[in-house]
Amino acid sequence: MTDVVEEVPAEEIAEEEVVEEEVAEMNVLDALKEVLKKALVHDGLRKGLHECAKALDRRSARLCCLAKDCENEEYKKLIRALCAEGEVSVIMVDSGKDLGAWCGLAKLDADGEVKKAVRTSCAVITDFGEETRALTVLLDYLQKQADGEE
């Protein structure tokens, strides 16, 4: 009787893990949000042109996020060139406000919703922190992107 009780929860747990993996694989942006938050907690996130340029120049960067809505073309060109020189992957994010909020540059209301976000055009991850499912999803996505370019 005890064997039957132990087998059922194990099967349920396995099914839940499969569902979670499917959800995580569906959205790369959610994975990026989680990876940015983990990097922020582990002091591995650099925000803004100056900090990002220093990290990219030192070759300590592992991943770069660049906002598509950045108006300064020279800014984008510099970041892309530094990333190419250091062979760092670049992920383009739609909005600088979103990127700023994901990097912790936002004020939150009582419900945890973003009330006011500071815009940032560039963020660099130097330390991913913990090994999470979101990080695996993000690295798989980047690997597929790199394979597609070659």
Side-chain angles (χ1 to χ4, degrees):
M1 188 163 91
T2 308
D3 293 336
V4 175
V5 174
E6 290 178 8
E7 289 178 12
V8 174
E11 291 173 2
E12 290 176 1
I13 291 170
E15 289 175 13
E16 290 174 1
E17 289 176 355
V18 171
V19 171
E20 287 178 22
E21 286 177 1
E22 290 173 4
V23 171
E25 289 177 28
M26 288 171 47
N27 197 346
V28 176
L29 285 180
D30 288 339
L32 178 62
K33 287 180 203 176
E34 188 174 327
V35 169
L36 285 169
K37 288 189 192 300
K38 290 286 182 193
L40 181 65
V41 169
H42 290 276
D43 197 34
L45 185 63
R46 306 289 176 255
K47 307 165 287 265
L49 179 64
H50 189 223
E51 287 183 27
C52 291
K54 285 195 303 186
L56 288 165
D57 198 33
R58 289 185 188 137
R59 309 281 169 106
S60 62
R62 312 258 319 261
L63 175 69
C64 180
C65 301
L66 187 62
K68 289 181 184 175
D69 65 349
C70 177
E71 293 118 16
N72 193 343
E73 288 300 319
E74 293 169 351
Y75 186 109
K76 288 193 229 180
K77 191 174 181 181
L78 172 67
I79 296 297
R80 284 194 184 114
L82 287 171
C83 288
E85 184 180 312
E87 298 177 1
V88 176
S89 301
V90 179
I91 293 185
M92 298 301 289
V93 180
D94 291 330
S95 169
K97 286 248 187 216
D98 290 342
L99 184 58
W102 299 342
C103 291
L105 299 173
K107 290 187 179 184
L108 305 176
D109 61 7
D111 299 329
E113 297 295 320
V114 175
K115 186 168 66 171
K116 182 179 179 182
V118 176
R119 188 172 163 273
T120 185
S121 294
C122 184
V124 169
I125 296 175
T126 57
D127 179 17
F128 289 119
E130 302 170 5
E131 191 74 31
T132 60
R133 179 174 289 130
L135 178 59
T136 306
V137 169
L138 192 60
L139 292 177
D140 288 344
Y141 170 76
L142 292 171
Q143 187 63 43
K144 288 176 188 172
Q145 293 291 86
D147 292 343
E149 290 177 4
E150 294 176 0

